[in-house]
Amino acid sequence: MRIRGERFTSRIFLFQGHTPTRFYRGVGAVEDGKLLLKYAAFRLNTGGTYFGACVLTKSKASEAVYRQALQARRRERGLTHPGTLLRQIDLALLLSNTGKKAEAEALLGEVLEARRRVLGPDHPDALFAQELLADLLADHGKLADAERLCRSLLAIRQRRDGPAHPETLDASRALALCLKEQGQMEGAGNLYRRLLAARRKLLPPEHPDLASELATLGSLLSDTGRAAEAEPMLREYLTIWEKQLPPEDWRTANARSLLGGCLARQKKFVEAEPLLLAGYEGLAKATDAPAKWVGDAFDRVLALYEKWGKPDQAQAWRKKRAASRE
């Protein structure tokens, strides 16, 4: 998730007691850490657990502090103590953020191997480390390596927790995203379809996680030439947010924009136009909307007028973009 301000990678950890069990990855600004936390809390339906935020900066001073903390834990508790490994994760994530990718990958790899050796490959802490390393590798563009870890993680989750367990579904979603980023749209789409079917069985019809799956699969289909198939999913996605959220919420605006873009791809320009304009306006006005989504909504409006054969409106939007960059 991209938010206005200095870009950095951050992760929101979900804790049970003192053990991190899940995380939500996003991109944003240091001052918006609370927003990331709020968004993750909304998305993950915590159910009595609580969140801790790991917000990473680009400060060299922070790196020195993290290194000192890790060395102290190693001296006091040993290399494989749970507290030591958590400090090692902290340092790895910070190093990844500051561009020291190889060292970050090595540190997380050590954490994974240590937890597998001490706890076993199926232990929740080992699986968390595997998920985190896969995510890091994907961030670094090593998608084939990330896919290998994601496939292994999904196989373990299916065997350990069952095909319908929330953690299994999360592992399936991570693999689908990895395939999508490699351009393997058919494989990603098949996984997303199974995810959507599973969510429908497990969740009430207006649950946020169901909305997320509808948007993900609908967007994928719309972007790969199957807009007619995507349309009912994106309509349902918009309906859920309209019922769940205030009218001015940026997530509802984004849903309007996605549906409008899908309609424009089918040349339903008259219906698409008000959705696209309202979607962009709502996103642009929101102070907490991800900047990437604002930009995508703008692009959909411009594409509408270009496809519709309205050069004057298209040129007006191009000028608007140029003015915003000055």
Side-chain angles (χ1 to χ4, degrees), residues 15 27 36 57 79 81 126 143 153 163-164 188 211-212 234 239 252 260 270 308:
F15 286 80
V27 178
L36 286 167
T57 72
L79 297 177
H81 188 276
L143 295 172
L153 180 65
S212 176
L234 294 176
T239 298
T252 306
V270 173
W308 201 354

Side-chain angles (χ1 to χ4, degrees), residues 12-277:
I12 303 299
F13 292 90
L14 173 60
F15 286 80
Q16 287 184 317
H18 295 286
T19 303
T21 59
R22 295 171 68 184
F23 65 93
Y24 181 83
R25 175 165 55 97
V27 178
V30 174
E31 61 268 24
D32 288 322
K34 291 182 180 179
L35 174 62
L36 286 167
L37 187 61
K38 179 180 177 182
Y39 185 81
F42 176 81
R43 277 282 296 111
L44 293 177
N45 189 23
T46 61
T49 58
Y50 64 92
F51 282 92
C54 179
V55 179
L56 308 175
T57 72
K58 295 183 177 180
S59 167
K60 292 182 179 179
S62 297
E63 180 182 331
V65 170
Y66 277 51
R67 288 188 185 279
Q68 290 169 7
L70 175 58
Q71 291 303 320
R73 283 298 176 92
R74 284 174 170 173
R75 287 193 304 270
E76 296 166 2
R77 303 185 181 183
L79 297 177
T80 60
H81 188 276
T84 303
L85 296 178
L86 285 176
R87 292 290 179 271
Q88 191 159 326
I89 288 173
D90 288 342
L91 177 59
L93 297 181
L94 181 63
L95 292 174
S96 174
N97 181 60
T98 56
K100 298 178 181 178
K101 298 179 180 181
E103 186 179 0
E105 293 167 13
L107 285 169
L108 273 184
E110 290 172 3
V111 172
L112 175 58
E113 291 307 313
R115 287 182 169 178
R116 282 174 169 172
R117 184 173 63 255
V118 175
L119 303 171
D122 290 6
H123 191 278
D125 287 353
L127 296 177
F128 175 78
Q130 184 169 339
E131 181 183 6
L132 196 55
L133 179 57
D135 178 73
L136 191 77
L137 291 169
D139 276 352
H140 296 173
K142 297 184 177 180
L143 295 172
D145 292 334
E147 179 186 342
R148 175 179 54 81
L149 286 173
C150 286
R151 288 190 182 279
S152 170
L153 180 65
L154 178 57
I156 294 171
R157 288 291 187 191
Q158 288 174 331
R159 182 184 71 251
R160 179 182 182 274
D161 302 317
H165 192 278
E167 296 291 353
T168 304
L169 298 181
D170 286 345
S172 183
R173 201 175 208 281
L175 176 57
L177 178 59
C178 190
L179 294 176
K180 180 182 176 182
E181 290 179 348
Q182 294 179 84
Q184 300 179 37
M185 299 303 183
E186 192 66 30
N190 290 336
L191 284 169
Y192 284 134
R193 288 177 194 279
R194 290 198 287 271
L195 272 168
L196 178 57
R199 299 287 192 202
R200 287 195 187 280
K201 291 180 181 179
L202 295 170
L203 300 173
E206 296 176 3
H207 194 281
D209 282 352
L210 178 59
S212 176
E213 301 302 349
L214 286 164
T216 301
L217 180 56
S219 297
L220 177 69
L221 293 172
S222 182
D223 292 344
T224 54
R226 290 174 282 185
E229 186 180 355
E231 182 183 335
M233 298 177 193
L234 294 176
R235 288 190 184 278
E236 185 178 357
Y237 173 54
L238 174 58
T239 298
I240 291 174
W241 280 156
E242 285 179 334
K243 291 180 179 180
Q244 293 275 3
L245 300 171
E248 68 277 5
D249 193 285
W250 60 263
R251 285 162 292 187
T252 306
N254 186 63
R256 292 191 183 101
S257 179
L258 288 173
L259 176 57
C262 179
L263 294 170
R265 285 189 167 105
Q266 301 175 75
K267 299 183 179 180
K268 299 178 179 180
F269 300 126
V270 173
E271 185 181 2
E273 184 180 29
L275 287 167
L276 287 169
L277 292 174

